[in-house]
Every structure is written in structure tokens, then in C-alpha cells.
Short mmCIF file of all heavy atoms in Angstrom, two decimals:
data_model
loop_
_atom_site.label_atom_id
_atom_site.label_comp_id
_atom_site.label_asym_id
_atom_site.label_seq_id
_atom_site.Cartn_x
_atom_site.Cartn_y
_atom_site.Cartn_z
N SER F 1 227.83 143.68 -50.66
CA SER F 1 228.02 142.50 -51.51
C SER F 1 226.77 141.63 -51.50
O SER F 1 226.34 141.11 -52.54
CB SER F 1 229.23 141.69 -51.04
OG SER F 1 230.41 142.47 -51.09
N ASN F 2 226.20 141.45 -50.31
CA ASN F 2 224.97 140.66 -50.22
C ASN F 2 223.83 141.30 -51.00
O ASN F 2 223.02 140.63 -51.63
CB ASN F 2 224.57 140.48 -48.76
CG ASN F 2 225.51 139.53 -48.03
OD1 ASN F 2 226.31 138.85 -48.67
ND2 ASN F 2 225.40 139.48 -46.71
N ASN F 3 223.75 142.64 -50.93
CA ASN F 3 222.72 143.34 -51.68
C ASN F 3 222.88 143.12 -53.18
O ASN F 3 221.91 142.89 -53.90
CB ASN F 3 222.76 144.84 -51.38
CG ASN F 3 222.20 145.17 -50.01
OD1 ASN F 3 221.47 144.37 -49.45
ND2 ASN F 3 222.53 146.34 -49.49
N SER F 4 224.12 143.19 -53.66
CA SER F 4 224.37 142.98 -55.08
C SER F 4 223.98 141.57 -55.50
O SER F 4 223.38 141.36 -56.57
CB SER F 4 225.86 143.23 -55.40
OG SER F 4 226.22 144.55 -55.08
N ALA F 5 224.31 140.59 -54.67
CA ALA F 5 223.95 139.21 -54.98
C ALA F 5 222.44 139.03 -55.01
O ALA F 5 221.89 138.32 -55.87
CB ALA F 5 224.57 138.27 -53.95
N GLU F 6 221.75 139.69 -54.08
CA GLU F 6 220.28 139.58 -54.03
C GLU F 6 219.66 140.23 -55.26
O GLU F 6 218.69 139.71 -55.83
CB GLU F 6 219.76 140.26 -52.76
CG GLU F 6 218.25 140.23 -52.60
CD GLU F 6 217.70 138.82 -52.43
OE1 GLU F 6 218.49 137.88 -52.21
OE2 GLU F 6 216.47 138.66 -52.54
N ILE F 7 220.24 141.36 -55.70
CA ILE F 7 219.73 142.03 -56.90
C ILE F 7 219.88 141.12 -58.12
O ILE F 7 218.96 140.98 -58.93
CB ILE F 7 220.47 143.36 -57.12
CG1 ILE F 7 220.07 144.38 -56.05
CG2 ILE F 7 220.17 143.93 -58.52
CD1 ILE F 7 220.89 145.65 -56.08
N ARG F 8 221.05 140.48 -58.24
CA ARG F 8 221.26 139.57 -59.36
C ARG F 8 220.29 138.39 -59.31
O ARG F 8 219.76 137.95 -60.33
CB ARG F 8 222.71 139.06 -59.36
CG ARG F 8 223.73 140.10 -59.79
CD ARG F 8 225.07 139.44 -60.09
NE ARG F 8 225.63 138.80 -58.91
CZ ARG F 8 226.42 139.40 -58.02
NH1 ARG F 8 226.73 140.68 -58.19
NH2 ARG F 8 226.90 138.75 -56.99
N ARG F 9 220.06 137.87 -58.09
CA ARG F 9 219.15 136.74 -57.95
C ARG F 9 217.73 137.11 -58.38
O ARG F 9 217.07 136.35 -59.11
CB ARG F 9 219.13 136.25 -56.50
CG ARG F 9 218.36 134.95 -56.29
CD ARG F 9 218.12 134.69 -54.82
NE ARG F 9 217.21 135.66 -54.22
CZ ARG F 9 215.89 135.62 -54.38
NH1 ARG F 9 215.32 134.68 -55.13
NH2 ARG F 9 215.12 136.53 -53.81
N VAL F 10 217.28 138.28 -57.95
CA VAL F 10 215.93 138.72 -58.30
C VAL F 10 215.80 138.96 -59.80
O VAL F 10 214.79 138.60 -60.42
CB VAL F 10 215.57 140.00 -57.51
CG1 VAL F 10 214.25 140.58 -58.01
CG2 VAL F 10 215.47 139.70 -56.02
N LYS F 11 216.85 139.54 -60.40
CA LYS F 11 216.82 139.78 -61.84
C LYS F 11 216.74 138.47 -62.61
O LYS F 11 215.98 138.33 -63.57
CB LYS F 11 218.06 140.56 -62.26
CG LYS F 11 218.04 142.03 -61.89
CD LYS F 11 219.35 142.71 -62.21
CE LYS F 11 219.69 142.63 -63.67
NZ LYS F 11 220.96 143.33 -63.98
N ASP F 12 217.53 137.50 -62.18
CA ASP F 12 217.50 136.18 -62.84
C ASP F 12 216.14 135.53 -62.67
O ASP F 12 215.63 134.87 -63.59
CB ASP F 12 218.59 135.27 -62.26
CG ASP F 12 219.99 135.75 -62.64
OD1 ASP F 12 220.11 136.52 -63.61
OD2 ASP F 12 220.96 135.34 -61.96
N ARG F 13 215.57 135.69 -61.49
CA ARG F 13 214.25 135.12 -61.21
C ARG F 13 213.18 135.74 -62.12
O ARG F 13 212.36 135.03 -62.70
CB ARG F 13 213.89 135.36 -59.74
CG ARG F 13 212.48 134.97 -59.35
CD ARG F 13 212.25 133.49 -59.41
NE ARG F 13 210.97 133.13 -58.82
CZ ARG F 13 210.33 132.00 -59.04
NH1 ARG F 13 210.87 131.09 -59.83
NH2 ARG F 13 209.17 131.75 -58.45
N ILE F 14 213.22 137.06 -62.26
CA ILE F 14 212.26 137.75 -63.12
C ILE F 14 212.42 137.30 -64.57
O ILE F 14 211.44 137.06 -65.28
CB ILE F 14 212.44 139.28 -62.99
CG1 ILE F 14 212.04 139.75 -61.59
CG2 ILE F 14 211.64 140.02 -64.06
CD1 ILE F 14 212.36 141.20 -61.32
N LYS F 15 213.68 137.19 -65.00
CA LYS F 15 213.94 136.76 -66.36
C LYS F 15 213.41 135.35 -66.61
O LYS F 15 212.80 135.06 -67.64
CB LYS F 15 215.44 136.81 -66.64
CG LYS F 15 215.83 136.45 -68.06
CD LYS F 15 217.33 136.58 -68.25
CE LYS F 15 217.72 136.22 -69.68
NZ LYS F 15 219.20 136.33 -69.88
N SER F 16 213.63 134.46 -65.62
CA SER F 16 213.18 133.08 -65.76
C SER F 16 211.66 132.99 -65.82
O SER F 16 211.10 132.28 -66.65
CB SER F 16 213.71 132.25 -64.59
OG SER F 16 213.20 130.93 -64.63
N LEU F 17 211.00 133.74 -64.95
CA LEU F 17 209.53 133.72 -64.93
C LEU F 17 208.95 134.28 -66.22
O LEU F 17 207.94 133.79 -66.73
CB LEU F 17 209.02 134.50 -63.73
CG LEU F 17 209.29 133.88 -62.35
CD1 LEU F 17 208.84 134.83 -61.24
CD2 LEU F 17 208.59 132.53 -62.21
N SER F 18 209.61 135.31 -66.77
CA SER F 18 209.14 135.89 -68.02
C SER F 18 209.24 134.88 -69.15
O SER F 18 208.34 134.77 -69.99
CB SER F 18 209.95 137.16 -68.36
OG SER F 18 209.80 138.13 -67.35
N GLN F 19 210.36 134.16 -69.20
CA GLN F 19 210.53 133.15 -70.23
C GLN F 19 209.49 132.04 -70.10
O GLN F 19 208.95 131.57 -71.10
CB GLN F 19 211.94 132.56 -70.15
CG GLN F 19 213.04 133.52 -70.57
CD GLN F 19 214.42 132.93 -70.40
OE1 GLN F 19 214.60 131.96 -69.69
NE2 GLN F 19 215.40 133.53 -71.06
N GLN F 20 209.22 131.62 -68.86
CA GLN F 20 208.23 130.57 -68.65
C GLN F 20 206.85 131.01 -69.13
O GLN F 20 206.10 130.24 -69.71
CB GLN F 20 208.17 130.19 -67.17
CG GLN F 20 209.42 129.50 -66.66
CD GLN F 20 209.39 129.34 -65.16
OE1 GLN F 20 208.33 129.44 -64.55
NE2 GLN F 20 210.53 129.09 -64.57
N LYS F 21 206.55 132.27 -68.87
CA LYS F 21 205.24 132.78 -69.27
C LYS F 21 205.12 132.81 -70.79
O LYS F 21 204.07 132.53 -71.36
CB LYS F 21 205.03 134.18 -68.70
CG LYS F 21 203.65 134.75 -68.95
CD LYS F 21 203.49 136.09 -68.27
CE LYS F 21 202.11 136.66 -68.51
NZ LYS F 21 201.93 137.97 -67.87
N GLU F 22 206.21 133.16 -71.46
CA GLU F 22 206.19 133.23 -72.91
C GLU F 22 206.17 131.83 -73.54
O GLU F 22 205.46 131.58 -74.51
CB GLU F 22 207.42 134.00 -73.41
CG GLU F 22 207.40 135.48 -73.04
CD GLU F 22 208.69 136.18 -73.44
OE1 GLU F 22 209.57 135.50 -74.03
OE2 GLU F 22 208.82 137.39 -73.18
N ILE F 23 206.99 130.90 -72.99
CA ILE F 23 207.13 129.57 -73.59
C ILE F 23 205.97 128.66 -73.18
O ILE F 23 205.29 128.07 -74.01
CB ILE F 23 208.47 128.93 -73.18
CG1 ILE F 23 209.63 129.78 -73.73
CG2 ILE F 23 208.58 127.51 -73.69
CD1 ILE F 23 210.99 129.31 -73.25
N GLY F 24 205.76 128.50 -71.87
CA GLY F 24 204.78 127.54 -71.38
C GLY F 24 205.38 126.14 -71.36
O GLY F 24 206.18 125.78 -72.22
N PHE F 25 205.05 125.38 -70.35
CA PHE F 25 205.59 124.03 -70.21
C PHE F 25 204.44 123.03 -70.05
O PHE F 25 203.35 123.38 -69.60
CB PHE F 25 206.54 123.95 -69.01
CG PHE F 25 207.80 124.72 -69.20
CD1 PHE F 25 207.94 126.00 -68.67
CD2 PHE F 25 208.86 124.19 -69.92
CE1 PHE F 25 209.11 126.72 -68.85
CE2 PHE F 25 210.03 124.90 -70.10
CZ PHE F 25 210.16 126.17 -69.57
N VAL F 26 204.70 121.78 -70.42
CA VAL F 26 203.67 120.75 -70.42
C VAL F 26 204.06 119.63 -69.45
O VAL F 26 205.24 119.34 -69.24
CB VAL F 26 203.48 120.19 -71.85
CG1 VAL F 26 204.72 119.46 -72.33
CG2 VAL F 26 202.25 119.28 -71.94
N GLY F 27 203.07 118.99 -68.85
CA GLY F 27 203.29 117.82 -68.01
C GLY F 27 202.81 116.55 -68.72
O GLY F 27 202.28 116.63 -69.84
N TRP F 28 202.94 115.40 -68.09
CA TRP F 28 202.50 114.16 -68.71
C TRP F 28 202.30 113.09 -67.63
O TRP F 28 202.74 113.25 -66.49
CB TRP F 28 203.50 113.69 -69.76
CG TRP F 28 204.84 113.27 -69.22
CD1 TRP F 28 205.21 112.02 -68.81
CD2 TRP F 28 205.97 114.11 -69.00
NE1 TRP F 28 206.51 112.02 -68.37
CE2 TRP F 28 207.01 113.31 -68.49
CE3 TRP F 28 206.24 115.48 -69.21
CZ2 TRP F 28 208.26 113.80 -68.16
CZ3 TRP F 28 207.48 115.97 -68.90
CH2 TRP F 28 208.47 115.14 -68.38
N LYS F 29 201.66 112.02 -68.03
CA LYS F 29 201.47 110.87 -67.13
C LYS F 29 202.40 109.74 -67.57
O LYS F 29 202.71 109.58 -68.75
CB LYS F 29 200.02 110.41 -67.18
CG LYS F 29 199.04 111.39 -66.56
CD LYS F 29 197.62 110.83 -66.55
CE LYS F 29 196.64 111.80 -65.89
NZ LYS F 29 195.26 111.26 -65.86
N PHE F 30 202.86 108.98 -66.59
CA PHE F 30 203.69 107.81 -66.87
C PHE F 30 203.16 106.64 -66.03
O PHE F 30 202.30 106.83 -65.16
CB PHE F 30 205.16 108.10 -66.58
CG PHE F 30 205.45 108.46 -65.15
CD1 PHE F 30 205.73 107.47 -64.19
CD2 PHE F 30 205.45 109.80 -64.72
CE1 PHE F 30 205.99 107.79 -62.88
CE2 PHE F 30 205.71 110.12 -63.39
CZ PHE F 30 205.98 109.13 -62.47
N ASP F 31 203.65 105.48 -66.30
CA ASP F 31 203.21 104.29 -65.59
C ASP F 31 203.65 104.36 -64.14
O ASP F 31 204.83 104.25 -63.83
CB ASP F 31 203.80 103.04 -66.27
CG ASP F 31 203.22 101.74 -65.68
OD1 ASP F 31 202.21 101.84 -64.94
OD2 ASP F 31 203.78 100.67 -65.96
N GLY F 32 202.68 104.65 -63.27
CA GLY F 32 202.99 104.72 -61.85
C GLY F 32 203.11 106.14 -61.31
O GLY F 32 203.56 106.33 -60.18
N GLY F 33 202.65 107.13 -62.10
CA GLY F 33 202.70 108.49 -61.58
C GLY F 33 202.47 109.56 -62.64
O GLY F 33 201.97 109.28 -63.74
N LYS F 34 202.83 110.77 -62.32
CA LYS F 34 202.64 111.89 -63.25
C LYS F 34 203.76 112.93 -63.06
O LYS F 34 204.42 112.99 -62.02
CB LYS F 34 201.29 112.56 -63.04
CG LYS F 34 201.13 113.20 -61.66
CD LYS F 34 199.76 113.87 -61.50
CE LYS F 34 199.64 114.53 -60.11
NZ LYS F 34 198.35 115.20 -59.94
N VAL F 35 203.94 113.75 -64.11
CA VAL F 35 204.90 114.86 -64.08
C VAL F 35 204.12 116.16 -64.28
O VAL F 35 203.28 116.26 -65.19
CB VAL F 35 205.97 114.71 -65.18
CG1 VAL F 35 206.91 115.91 -65.17
CG2 VAL F 35 206.75 113.42 -64.99
N GLU F 36 204.40 117.15 -63.43
CA GLU F 36 203.73 118.45 -63.53
C GLU F 36 204.75 119.57 -63.70
O GLU F 36 205.81 119.54 -63.07
CB GLU F 36 202.88 118.72 -62.27
CG GLU F 36 201.68 117.81 -62.13
CD GLU F 36 200.83 118.19 -60.92
OE1 GLU F 36 201.24 119.10 -60.17
OE2 GLU F 36 199.77 117.56 -60.72
N ALA F 37 204.39 120.55 -64.53
CA ALA F 37 205.21 121.76 -64.70
C ALA F 37 204.64 122.82 -63.77
O ALA F 37 203.64 123.48 -64.10
CB ALA F 37 205.19 122.23 -66.15
N ASN F 38 205.25 122.98 -62.60
CA ASN F 38 204.77 123.92 -61.59
C ASN F 38 205.45 125.27 -61.82
O ASN F 38 206.58 125.51 -61.39
CB ASN F 38 205.10 123.38 -60.19
CG ASN F 38 204.45 124.21 -59.09
OD1 ASN F 38 204.14 125.38 -59.29
ND2 ASN F 38 204.25 123.60 -57.93
N THR F 39 204.75 126.15 -62.54
CA THR F 39 205.35 127.46 -62.89
C THR F 39 205.48 128.35 -61.67
O THR F 39 206.39 129.19 -61.61
CB THR F 39 204.50 128.16 -63.96
OG1 THR F 39 203.14 128.25 -63.51
CG2 THR F 39 204.54 127.39 -65.27
N GLU F 40 204.59 128.23 -60.69
CA GLU F 40 204.67 129.07 -59.50
C GLU F 40 205.92 128.75 -58.68
O GLU F 40 206.60 129.64 -58.18
CB GLU F 40 203.42 128.90 -58.64
CG GLU F 40 202.16 129.48 -59.28
CD GLU F 40 200.97 129.42 -58.34
OE1 GLU F 40 201.16 128.99 -57.17
OE2 GLU F 40 199.86 129.79 -58.75
N ALA F 41 206.21 127.46 -58.55
CA ALA F 41 207.41 127.06 -57.80
C ALA F 41 208.63 127.01 -58.70
O ALA F 41 209.75 126.83 -58.22
CB ALA F 41 207.19 125.68 -57.17
#
């Protein structure tokens, strides 16, 4: 059961990373700080 859960987690992770690579995300600055899109994390 744990193996199956780990397989699903890895598949979801791969899918998410693929989407991020295709879409790309942007950060911005605000008064008193900044926002970053950390694709690695």
C-alpha cells in the first residue's frame, strides 16, 4: 500500500513539474518585500 501511494505521489510530482515547465510562473515586488516563483521547490 505504501509503495502504491509513493508511486502516485511521484506521478503527481512529475505531472506538476511538467506543467510548471510548460506554463512558467512570474514573481513580483510589493511594498515591504517580494514574491518569488520557486520552481525547484
Side-chain angles (χ1 to χ4, degrees):
S1 300
N2 289 348
N3 285 341
S4 299
E6 179 65 12
I7 290 172
R8 287 194 297 272
R9 188 193 67 78
V10 172
K11 285 174 59 178
D12 291 341
R13 173 67 170 161
I14 292 172
K15 183 177 180 181
S16 175
L17 292 175
S18 299
Q19 290 177 342
Q20 292 172 18
K21 185 176 181 181
E22 293 175 1
I23 297 174
F25 291 98
V26 66
W28 67 90
K29 291 184 178 180
F30 61 88
D31 187 13
K34 63 179 181 179
V35 177
E36 292 184 356
N38 188 336
T39 54
E40 291 186 4

